[in-house]
Amino acid sequence: MVHHYVQNYYGELIILLGKAIFCVPPENSTLLARYFYLRGFMNTLCSKRLDALSDFQNLYKTDMEIFPTNLVKALVDSLQKDERSQADQRPELKRLIFKVKTDNEMVLVQADDHVKKFQLPKTHMLQEDFVKRIQESGIVKDVATIHRLFEALTVGSCKSDLGLDSAMRSPSNILH
């Protein structure tokens, strides 16, 4: 009987965290990341693995500093066949699973990864990809700052993608 009450409590908490996530402005990425973390953890406790992975994917895009890598690896490893096929139908989860699997393999091969190699892209880039690359490079982790950087680099050009190569060649694009 106690288990039932605990599960109801977790369910209510997941709903409240969803409402809180909806109300947080995108500029407040720190708070948003904490909510995604908590809701992902609550979904894990309720055995809602796909919902948990979705929250952790959003967390990964928001703040990599608090990303629970080991928990996500365990979640991915615990997926049932039907859950795995459902996850493969969702591109964001498929990317997360691929990343977790490839990172796991890279840890076995590459023990010393404290120096990251970073190259500027040569083609146009969507804002989401820009955020991901900047976070992975370690230059900046805060999403709001990365969005401001993206906006600064795309002044006078298309706001949905970023051609860093052309922006770097033409400083006037940055100074407007």
Side-chain angles (χ1 to χ4, degrees), residues 73-158:
K73 286 178 187 175
L75 275 170
V76 168
D77 291 340
S78 71
L79 289 176
Q80 305 295 322
K81 282 186 178 185
D82 62 324
E83 291 174 319
R84 182 59 189 258
S85 65
Q86 288 177 28
D88 287 338
Q89 300 299 316
R90 296 167 61 179
E92 73 279 0
L93 293 184
K94 193 173 183 177
R95 277 193 304 269
L96 179 66
I97 291 169
F98 178 77
K99 174 152 183 42
V100 167
K101 292 293 187 183
T102 56
D103 282 356
N104 199 17
E105 292 169 5
M106 285 174 47
V107 168
L108 297 175
V109 174
Q110 180 184 8
D112 185 18
D113 65 336
H114 66 280
V115 177
K116 295 183 180 180
K117 294 180 182 177
F118 179 74
Q119 289 184 323
L120 287 174
K122 303 289 187 219
T123 60
H124 291 281
M125 180 181 290
L126 295 174
Q127 186 173 16
E128 179 181 310
D129 294 332
F130 179 76
V131 170
K132 179 182 170 194
R133 282 192 185 209
I134 295 298
Q135 282 184 328
E136 287 175 348
S137 72
I139 296 170
V140 178
K141 297 289 184 190
D142 180 56
V143 174
T145 302
I146 297 171
H147 283 234
R148 286 193 306 274
L149 176 60
F150 183 86
E151 290 296 316
L153 292 171
T154 57
V155 170
S157 64
C158 180

Side-chain angles (χ1 to χ4, degrees), residues 7-23 35 38-40 42-43 46 48 51 55:
Q7 290 299 315
N8 283 341
Y9 174 75
Y10 289 159
E12 289 177 26
L13 189 55
I14 289 168
I15 291 169
L16 290 173
L17 285 167
K19 289 178 182 178
I21 288 169
F22 182 74
C23 292
Y35 285 160
L38 287 172
R39 191 172 71 176
M42 291 295 116
N43 277 317
C46 291
K48 296 178 179 179
D51 291 340
D55 284 331

